[in-house]
Each structure stands twice: as structure tokens, then as C-alpha cells.
Amino acid sequence: MTSEPNDRSGSDDEGDPDDDLTPETESLPADERVDDSTWSSFVDNITWHTSPAPDIPPDEVREALDDEEWIAPEPEPIGWRTTSPSLVLGLIGALGGAFALFIIAIFLRPVPGWLLLVTIAVTVGSAAVLFTHLPQRRDPFSDGREV
């Protein structure tokens, strides 16, 4: 704000041009207004922290890491054997059905109608099962690398 704040006692052409657009109930008195340089420095110093504060103060981290009593927990097994059976069957059905349609189109001429119908139904049904296994919600603070 390069001009003097309008104290509403003088004419409106000397004050801030936005004052005539601001309702009287929303305008601040002259002594409560903040100049542009103060506001800019305030906004520039705002930092956003998306991670929570650690439970241990920074000066005690080394001592906690050097603690010899701590043993890492046994990791949970991962892989296709620990997933949901419907997810595994959906994946096999979708990929197998698409591969079967490819093989049928190349090697089987003429194609029996029932075989084509069953293969398409298995492929579409398996793809639908895979879509039901997609995540239902997304963490607003994640960066997209969530598993």
C-alpha cells in the first residue's frame, strides 16, 4: 500500500482504491492495518511441515540408535502367497483371458461362439475383480508413492 490509509473522515479519492469495494464491516481501522512489506515478509517466512515431529529430540537420536538392546522386528511376508486369493485369481484370469483371446484370434479359425463368449466373460469378470481391489481412499499428505 503506497498511499495513506483512509480514515473515512476525508474524501474517498485520497484513500486506497479497494476501500470503496470493501464493505464498512470488513475494513480495518488505520492503526490495525499491516503494510505490504511486513505482510510479504510474514508470508515468505511461512513453512509447511507435512511430517510429524519426531518422538525423540534431535540430540538424543544418536544415543537411541546406539542402543544395543533393540532388535529389529521380523518383517511380514510379502508376495503372491500372502495376498487375497481373489486378487491372484483376478490377475490370472485377466492376463490369461487376454492371452487366450490373442491365441484364439491367431490359431483357431473358425472360432466357436461359445469359446469366444466364455473367454471374453472370464477376461471382463477378472478385470472387474481387479478393480474392486483398488484403494478406496487416498492419503491427502502422501506424495503418490503409497503401497
Side-chain angles (χ1 to χ4, degrees), residues 7-104:
D7 61 354
R8 303 280 180 204
S9 61
S11 63
D12 285 340
D13 57 353
E14 294 176 8
D16 192 3
D18 292 334
D19 281 345
D20 54 341
L21 300 176
T22 305
E24 189 66 31
T25 57
E26 291 183 351
S27 64
L28 291 173
D31 58 338
E32 291 182 10
R33 292 187 183 188
V34 177
D35 62 316
D36 288 342
S37 61
T38 306
W39 181 254
S40 295
S41 67
F42 172 76
V43 171
D44 291 339
N45 290 327
I46 293 178
T47 58
W48 296 97
H49 298 286
T50 57
S51 63
D55 295 334
I56 302 173
D59 53 340
E60 295 177 11
V61 170
R62 178 56 57 197
E63 295 170 9
L65 290 176
D66 291 338
D67 189 12
E68 295 180 18
E69 297 150 10
W70 184 80
I71 299 172
E74 189 68 29
E76 296 181 20
I78 58 172
W80 66 273
R81 292 185 180 123
T82 59
T83 61
S84 163
S86 62
L87 178 65
V88 174
L89 290 175
L91 187 61
I92 291 171
L95 293 177
F99 183 71
L101 283 172
F102 179 72
I103 295 300
I104 288 170

Side-chain angles (χ1 to χ4, degrees), residues 50 137-147:
T50 57
R137 65 169 191 81
R138 182 174 180 174
D139 184 14
F141 298 108
S142 75
D143 57 0
R145 296 183 287 179
E146 187 174 344
V147 179

Side-chain angles (χ1 to χ4, degrees), residues 103-122:
I103 295 300
I104 288 170
I106 291 177
F107 295 115
L108 287 175
R109 294 294 176 154
V111 179
W114 64 269
L115 180 62
L116 191 61
L117 184 63
V118 168
T119 309
I120 290 174
V122 166

